[in-house]
Amino acid sequence: MSEAQTNVKVHVDKVNKSYGSNHVLRDISLDIKQNEVVVMIGPSGSGKSTFLRMLNQLETPDNGTIVVDGYDLSDKKTDINKVRENIGMVFQNFNLFNNYTVLENIMLAPVELGKMDKDKAEKKARELLETVGLAEKADVSVNSLSGGQKQRIAIARALAMEPDIMLFDEPTSALDPEMVGDVLDVMKDLADSGMTMIIVTHEMGFAKQVADRVVFFESGKIQESGEPEQVFAAPKNARLKEFLGKVMHA
Amino acid sequence: MFKKCFIIMVGLVMSLLSLSVVQMHVDASQPHYTISTDATYPPFDFQDKNNDYIGIDQDILKEIAKREGFTYTLKPMSFNAAAQMVTSGQADGIIAGMAITDERKEVYDISTPYYQTGVAWVVKKGSKIKSLADLKGQTVALKTGTAASEYGKSLQSKYGFKIKYFNDTDTMYNDVVVGNSVATFEDMPVIQYAIKNGMKLKIMNSNHPGNAGWYGFFVKKGDNQALLASFNKGFSAIKKDGTYNKIVKKYLGATQSTFTGSAKDNHSVLGILKANDSAFMRGLWQTLLLTILGIVLASVWGIILGIMGVSQNSVVRGISTTLIYIFRGLPLMVLAFFIYIGLPGVIGAKIPAFTAGLITLILNEGAYTGAFVRGGFEAVDKGQMEAARSLGFTYNRSMRKIIMPQGLKIMVPSFINQFIITLKDTSILSAIGILELTQTGSLIVARNSQGFRVWAIIAIIYLIIITLLTWLSNGIQKKMQ
């Protein structure tokens, strides 16, 4: 591989996806470089979440190519579980494991998948809890946490596997407004540390502040993408203008 | 913790199974037969106060076996099931006050007739019924599969009565005594003995028995000719030397207490309990053994079915769905008869009643368990699986570590419910002659006619076990939460 290619963490080429007659993604192509923070915006049902979920194969494309970390996901020989170990994902509804404590949630994957022994995993987990500001919650049941706390634990759980790429699927949409700030702060620190991040969100302020690139999805297509200053200050696409008019106004 | 529990349970099951399959050691030099009989047909076949099977049939068989030098295992059950045991090859022969008819000659080879009989028609003592014509529009109780019931049925269109079928003699009599049915048809010597022993019934045709005929010993047509020959030879010997007459006189000349114990033993709950304590204990043990083995094995099988039901492989899922559909759809008794009486004829091997009963429980209760286990797994939030997969867990690891522990917790109340149902369902297995609690009750009632007291005792024993089981289950549930 050449120098230029190794720098590309995610390569997507002409990907399509339909649910029955509903064509949710049309010929999507996108490259994401190492350390890049890409924020995907757009109205509900525009296909941005489906696209995100394809990057770790929670959804499979009908056709097209997706290469993550040099692994072609459509290749049958690719062990998707190995690829996923390097891609952390944070969900809108947290999806913390209800049958484990906070600490166990974070330690489970590294220990189960043989990445760390128990002691090392616990040390790592406690560090991460410190990072997300919830060190005192190590031994409580996940059901006793607030939404904002749950989402920070979910981020810590994903980070425990020491991934190269983090995917965020509307991480603040299910939170009470006063909880949003804490989660975004953790994400911002993560971006500053150089993590490659792909984020689906409706938080335009956060996008402006943190994104290297903003991608606007509408009707299953990438209508416009560019640096946040350009996308938010001088949008070219008519639909993007209309969308921004609605969300910025609100 | 699950793994540990599982290993302990499997170990327990194995040891219990090995206990139950220990066979009686049989002297190889003597031929050994399995003989089925009607469990409740005094004075021909019934249990005495010591819970031994006695009666005219039993004494004749014992004498003949002694003289002809063969041994046998007796299988007492409902008459109809006992007869089918022979045609399906589960038993070698049947002696059960069974009348010789042309229809039976088609499927059985039959011994020398050993007892002359005829059909009586019977009403409640003090009944207003005076003739068969009075039966019009009324209900008549008959016993499934007997020659007497065939005779009764042949009169149905002429006299216009309704028929209600029973599986054992005693319940049939009691149906007439309490007035649910107005009359019944039964073999003359049987009803005479019952009336003599206090059954409040009246014979309407003492001098003109219907369909006069003979009882015989039956083997499956073409099979067990050596057994049949032994029976005939032995029978002519006991007839000649007067043993036969002594046997008949012993039973027809006796009063109830000779065989069934004193009034003191039979007319109070405590007396019945005392007189039958070993029978109750044995019945209770069989019920408990069936329940415990049934619960453990059906749970294991049900969990396997449930896991198959959420498999990624559509063929495996299909197998699970089909098995659940079939065995949840079949009534427990049909399944029990199919396995115990139907299957051996096809596979050519005998299946012991206990094993057949246990298999029935596993298949039926397992199907119900499988359905709620699958449902429990499906009820776990989809996001849990996605989160596990996103971390790099395989499907199986996600199921094991995340979905199953949560699903099983959801299922605990369903499991407890199923355990209680399993305990109650063991009573249905009395139909294939397993001597569990319910069958024990039937046998005691057949002997002492104390339906109310005996069934009250049996009901209370069930309630006590169910209470203990619920108690235990709730304790486990609390510990799990």
Side-chain angles (χ1 to χ4, degrees):
Chain A
M1 274 188 200
S2 74
E3 199 59 28
Q5 276 172 317
T6 50
N7 204 17
V8 174
K9 292 298 280 184
V10 178
H11 169 71
V12 180
D13 192 35
K14 292 211 184 67
V15 160
N16 282 280
K17 175 77 179 177
S18 299
Y19 295 111
S21 61
N22 184 16
H23 206 157
V24 291
L25 291 177
R26 302 163 190 265
D27 275 336
I28 302 286
S29 297
L30 184 73
D31 279 6
I32 294 164
K33 291 198 282 292
Q34 191 158 4
N35 307 93
E36 201 178 7
V37 176
V38 175
V39 173
M40 297 194 278
I41 59 170
S44 298
S46 59
K48 53 192 193 307
S49 277
T50 306
F51 175 77
L52 187 78
R53 289 161 58 83
M54 276 183 182
L55 300 182
N56 66 351
Q57 222 180 65
L58 288 182
E59 306 280 349
T60 47
D62 297 336
N63 53 49
T65 311
I66 299 175
V67 181
V68 178
D69 264 343
Y71 295 101
D72 183 350
L73 299 192
S74 58
D75 187 344
K76 286 209 164 67
K77 277 176 272 176
T78 301
D79 179 359
I80 184 63
N81 296 317
K82 277 278 161 241
V83 181
R84 282 172 175 158
E85 289 186 18
N86 285 318
I87 311 173
M89 184 155 189
V90 176
F91 299 86
Q92 181 177 347
N93 293 316
F94 332 121
N95 298 342
L96 293 179
F97 301 136
N98 298 317
N99 52 325
Y100 294 104
T101 64
V102 166
L103 193 69
E104 287 167 343
N105 260 273
I106 303 173
M107 288 170 60
L108 187 68
V111 174
E112 274 291 313
L113 299 172
K115 197 173 167 72
M116 300 171 195
D117 62 31
K118 260 196 163 151
D119 293 341
K120 195 171 168 224
E122 184 174 341
K123 192 164 164 277
K124 173 92 186 166
R126 291 196 187 276
E127 280 169 25
L128 285 165
L129 281 173
E130 201 77 49
T131 313
V132 300
L134 291 169
E136 78 284 2
K137 297 287 186 189
D139 296 314
V140 306
S141 141
V142 296
N143 293 315
S144 66
L145 302 174
S146 72
Q149 291 170 333
K150 280 184 183 169
Q151 197 60 299
R152 283 185 279 157
I153 300 298
I155 295 171
R157 178 179 66 180
L159 289 174
M161 285 298 288
E162 301 177 334
D164 304 338
I165 304 170
M166 286 286 287
L167 310 178
F168 293 85
D169 189 4
E170 303 199 25
T172 57
S173 298
L175 299 182
D176 292 335
E178 72 272 19
M179 306 280 184
V180 172
D182 290 341
V183 172
L184 292 181
D185 285 346
V186 170
M187 288 170 66
K188 190 167 174 306
D189 291 344
L190 194 58
D192 291 343
S193 75
M195 176 65 75
T196 307
M197 294 164 73
I198 305 159
I199 305 162
V200 172
T201 187
H202 295 290
E203 297 290 332
M204 297 304 152
F206 175 77
K208 257 186 216 170
Q209 204 186 348
V210 177
D212 296 314
R213 187 158 38 130
V214 175
V215 177
F216 173 62
F217 272 78
E218 211 266 352
S219 304
K221 277 187 176 165
I222 297 179
Q223 305 281 359
E224 184 166 344
S225 78
E227 294 186 356
E229 297 77 19
Q230 182 239 311
V231 167
F232 289 113
K236 293 188 213 97
N237 182 283
R239 288 172 174 177
L240 174 56
K241 280 181 198 166
E242 190 192 333
F243 174 73
L244 289 176
K246 278 182 195 159
V247 294
M248 302 304 259
H249 192 72
Chain B
M1 195 205 69
F2 266 111
K3 219 174 248 173
K4 219 179 185 177
C5 277
F6 186 78
I7 291 167
I8 292 170
M9 277 182 171
V10 169
L12 183 78
V13 168
M14 288 304 178
S15 50
L16 283 173
L17 269 183
S18 60
L19 265 181
S20 68
V21 293
V22 171
Q23 291 282 330
M24 248 187 310
H25 184 71
V26 177
D27 185 353
S29 66
Q30 288 188 329
H32 186 83
Y33 300 108
T34 303
I35 310 286
S36 65
T37 188
D38 189 333
T40 62
Y41 202 59
F44 291 92
D45 309 280
F46 62 109
Q47 258 189 335
D48 69 5
K49 57 194 167 201
N50 304 316
N51 306 114
D52 294 324
Y53 286 94
I54 57 165
I56 296 173
D57 285 351
Q58 297 310 320
D59 284 14
I60 289 174
L61 183 62
K62 210 180 284 169
E63 269 305 314
I64 292 175
K66 202 165 75 191
R67 291 173 193 224
E68 291 296 312
F70 65 84
T71 55
Y72 59 93
T73 307
L74 194 70
K75 295 278 180 189
M77 57 189 65
S78 76
F79 173 73
N80 215 12
Q84 287 179 51
M85 289 268 289
V86 176
T87 50
S88 72
Q90 285 273 65
D92 300 309
I94 173 170
I95 186 158
M98 188 163 167
I100 298 166
T101 65
D102 286 341
E103 271 179 341
R104 285 176 180 158
K105 282 177 188 161
E106 303 282 317
V107 281
Y108 299 98
D109 285 328
I110 307 168
S111 72
T112 322
Y114 68 82
Y115 193 92
Q116 191 174 23
T117 180
V119 177
W121 77 278
V122 178
V123 297
K124 184 181 169 178
K125 216 175 237 172
S127 165
K128 290 198 182 78
I129 305 275
K130 295 279 175 264
S131 71
L132 286 168
D134 293 340
L135 296 178
K136 195 172 172 58
Q138 306 279 12
T139 304
V140 168
L142 295 179
K143 188 162 139 187
T144 322
T146 61
S149 95
E150 284 306 310
Y151 178 72
K153 196 160 177 291
S154 71
L155 300 176
Q156 183 183 19
S157 60
K158 188 172 169 193
Y159 294 104
F161 50 80
K162 287 174 276 186
I163 293 177
K164 190 164 155 192
Y165 281 104
F166 292 86
N167 268 327
D168 72 286
T169 312
D170 201 71
T171 317
M172 178 177 81
Y173 289 160
N174 279 312
D175 206 60
V176 178
V177 171
V178 302
N180 292 335
S181 305
V182 298
T184 181
F185 289 82
E186 182 54 283
D187 291 355
M188 193 62 86
V190 177
I191 194 72
Q192 281 168 337
Y193 179 82
I195 290 171
K196 194 164 160 208
N197 283 320
M199 192 59 79
K200 292 186 171 46
L201 295 172
K202 185 170 69 175
I203 298 170
M204 303 298 283
N205 59 339
S206 304
N207 300 322
H208 311 282
N211 242 10
W214 289 85
Y215 287 156
F217 173 78
F218 293 66
V219 297
K220 188 180 176 184
K221 205 166 186 67
D223 283 356
N224 284 307
Q225 298 303 312
L227 171 61
L228 193 63
S230 293
F231 186 93
N232 285 338
K233 194 158 154 262
F235 180 69
S236 75
I238 61 169
K239 187 101 201 229
K240 202 180 266 170
D241 71 8
T243 312
Y244 171 83
N245 284 335
K246 254 189 244 160
I247 292 171
V248 173
K249 216 174 140 210
K250 170 177 156 196
Y251 286 98
L252 293 188
T255 56
Q256 187 180 32
S257 57
T258 315
F259 305 114
T260 64
S262 65
K264 189 173 126 259
D265 287 346
N266 285 318
H267 290 99
S268 75
V269 168
L270 213 64
I272 293 170
L273 265 177
K274 244 190 216 152
N276 299 288
D277 56 349
S278 66
F280 279 124
M281 285 313 287
R282 260 178 299 176
L284 177 63
W285 170 241
Q286 284 291 303
T287 290
L288 287 178
L289 199 60
L290 270 175
T291 305
I292 294 167
L293 288 173
I295 283 174
V296 173
L297 294 175
S299 295
V300 170
W301 174 231
I303 290 171
I304 293 172
L305 277 180
I307 292 171
M308 286 168 68
V310 292
S311 162
Q312 285 183 302
N313 183 325
S314 63
V315 176
V316 175
R317 265 199 325 271
I319 292 172
S320 161
T321 311
T322 311
L323 288 174
I324 290 174
Y325 177 80
I326 292 174
F327 291 111
R328 205 163 50 154
L330 283 178
L332 195 67
M333 204 190 279
V334 172
L335 187 58
F337 281 138
F338 179 78
I339 292 172
Y340 188 50
I341 295 168
L343 219 49
V346 181
I347 62 172
K350 292 179 190 177
I351 304 175
F354 187 88
T355 311
L358 188 58
I359 295 171
T360 305
L361 280 182
I362 294 168
L363 291 176
N364 180 279
E365 315 293 339
Y368 280 97
T369 306
F372 72 67
V373 167
R374 183 180 61 193
F377 289 153
E378 284 169 351
V380 175
D381 179 30
K382 297 276 173 289
Q384 297 284 311
M385 174 59 94
E386 285 195 341
R389 298 306 306 269
S390 80
L391 287 165
F393 281 32
T394 59
Y395 177 85
N396 288 338
R397 193 192 294 273
S398 309
M399 285 302 289
R400 219 170 51 239
K401 286 285 167 185
I402 311 296
I403 308 299
M404 288 183 187
Q406 294 185 47
L408 286 170
K409 216 165 174 180
I410 298 174
M411 296 162 205
V412 169
S414 307
F415 269 110
I416 294 174
N417 194 30
Q418 197 62 37
F419 293 168
I420 290 168
I421 292 172
T422 305
L423 167 61
K424 291 195 286 186
D425 280 355
T426 57
S427 68
I428 298 174
L429 299 175
S430 61
I432 58 170
I434 298 178
L435 264 179
E436 41 63 74
L437 211 43
T438 302
Q439 179 75 345
T440 304
S442 298
L443 295 180
I444 295 172
V445 173
R447 190 174 70 231
N448 68 9
S449 302
Q450 295 292 317
F452 177 77
R453 290 187 180 92
V454 173
W455 289 121
I457 292 170
I458 298 282
I460 288 167
I461 296 177
Y462 274 112
L463 280 178
I464 291 171
I465 315 173
I466 282 172
T467 307
L468 291 175
L469 189 63
T470 313
W471 205 40
L472 184 75
S473 305
N474 287 340
I476 293 170
Q477 187 180 11
K478 252 190 206 141
K479 232 175 191 170
M480 278 184 68
Q481 301 294 331

